[in-house]
Amino acid sequence: MNRFEGRVAVITGAARGIGFATAARLAEEGAAVAVVDLDEAAAGEAAAKLPGKSVGIGADVSDAASVDAAVARAVEELGGLHILVNNAGVTRDNLLFKMTEQDWDVVMAVHLKGAFLMTKAAQKHFVEQRYGKVVNLSSMSALGNRGQANYSAAKMGLQGLTRTLGIELGGFGINVNAVAPGFVATEMTDATAVRLGMEIDEFRRLGAEGNPLKTFGKPEDIAAAIAFLSSDEASYITGQTLYVDGGATLG
Ligand code: NAD
């Protein structure tokens, strides 16, 4: 498939994990990709692994000036902007009584404010050309998860943002959707295992056990869903959140 020929995609947090798998998938299908991540060198290394035209850009999605500069650079170096994937994320897990104000603020800043700032910067281009695709990374934790009051609130907040921007931007040919992954094996979940004092393989086994398909997600599983929602095959879908979780949230 070559669904993204002639398209430019900006993907945040794409130096590794789900973001990188998404960058690879879109690039394999013809997109020029801007890999945006905190560390410019890591972003550049990731971009260099992609087929086709790409650029690595160092930016902090929670900082408005940094976001505006990153989007402007992607447009200038890659010649436009058609797809935005708001994927950058962090965790600061703790039970409420131990969660600090900083734990709360950082998670809100990266996930929620980051998606707000990035989408605001991108929509100028999207509205002008009457075309754009936005995919936000929510999570199955949006439905509630012990030790993740901050993350859960941010990820459910992203679903509200997705629905609202679906309403506001639909008239301009812009689709806004979200993907809510279940357990996916990445450095983020590996770090959680280490924090809990568990072996990574055991943590992944438990992640697999928690859903009817009895398997844990790979970054490529999430990338496939993001690619679909970023493509013209999903032109009649907006404001939706697609759970990609092996059925973990079925009850
Ligand atoms: P990861 O930790 O492997 O990668 C996240 C990337 O985001 C890193 O490269 C990091 O440098 C970057 N990043 C962090 N803060 C940033 C900032 N302020 N500005 C720019 N970049 C920043 O994580 P992952 O597991 O690949 O997760 C990707 C997304 O998917 C996140 O939004 C995460 O919350 C969500 N998610 C992951 C899982 C999972 O099981 N792994 C499940 C549900 C949702």
Side-chain angles (χ1 to χ4, degrees), residues 12-20 36-39 59-63 86-91 109-111 137-141 151 155 158 179-189 219 222:
T12 68
R16 68 184 202 197
I18 293 168
F20 180 70
V36 174
D37 211 298
L38 275 178
D39 175 29
D60 177 352
V61 297
S62 66
D63 179 86
N86 286 312
N87 166 82
V90 292
T91 53
V110 177
H111 294 272
L137 266 291
S138 178
S139 166
M140 127 183 140
S141 296
Y151 186 79
K155 291 307 200 186
L158 280 165
V179 168
F183 184 95
V184 182
T186 66
E187 288 181 51
M188 180 181 272
T189 43
I222 311 306

Side-chain angles (χ1 to χ4, degrees), residues 35-247:
V35 170
V36 174
D37 211 298
L38 275 178
D39 175 29
E40 173 114 9
E45 277 168 38
K49 292 183 198 148
L50 301 174
K53 209 168 159 187
S54 67
V55 59
I57 300 174
D60 177 352
V61 297
S62 66
D63 179 86
S66 180
V67 161
D68 288 346
V71 170
R73 203 175 137 201
V75 170
E76 195 183 307
E77 295 203 20
L78 301 177
L81 181 56
H82 308 95
I83 297 163
L84 168 65
V85 182
N86 286 312
N87 166 82
V90 292
T91 53
R92 295 287 186 275
D93 299 352
N94 243 325
L95 292 174
L96 180 63
F97 78 102
K98 284 198 252 176
M99 188 174 284
T100 66
E101 194 177 343
Q102 205 200 358
D103 291 336
W104 179 269
D105 287 345
V106 167
V107 168
M108 290 299 153
V110 177
H111 294 272
L112 261 186
K113 189 177 172 190
F116 160 69
L117 292 174
M118 286 296 302
T119 310
K120 200 170 168 193
Q123 62 85 31
K124 289 178 211 144
H125 303 276
F126 292 167
V127 167
E128 215 172 273
Q129 70 199 7
R130 295 289 193 275
Y131 184 94
K133 308 281 184 193
V134 181
V135 181
N136 296 317
L137 266 291
S138 178
S139 166
M140 127 183 140
S141 296
L143 301 174
N145 196 26
R146 189 179 162 81
Q148 289 198 312
N150 49 3
Y151 186 79
S152 173
K155 291 307 200 186
M156 193 49 107
L158 280 165
Q159 295 193 21
L161 181 72
T162 299
R163 292 175 64 92
T164 300
L165 297 185
I167 293 166
E168 288 188 16
L169 300 176
F172 299 99
I174 302 167
N175 303 68
V176 186
N177 289 293
V179 168
F183 184 95
V184 182
T186 66
E187 288 181 51
M188 180 181 272
T189 43
D190 289 354
T192 305
V194 170
R195 197 173 44 76
L196 295 174
M198 286 175 73
E199 291 294 326
I200 287 170
D201 283 347
E202 174 62 3
F203 195 57
R204 289 181 179 182
R205 195 188 60 74
L206 288 176
E209 234 169 50
N211 68 63
L213 293 179
K214 301 293 174 209
T215 180
F216 60 79
K218 300 182 298 304
E220 293 74 20
D221 297 321
I222 311 306
I226 296 170
F228 168 64
L229 290 171
S230 304
S231 78
D232 290 335
E233 291 181 282
S235 292
Y236 201 46
I237 302 174
T238 201
Q240 304 302 306
T241 297
L242 176 61
Y243 282 79
V244 185
D245 62 356

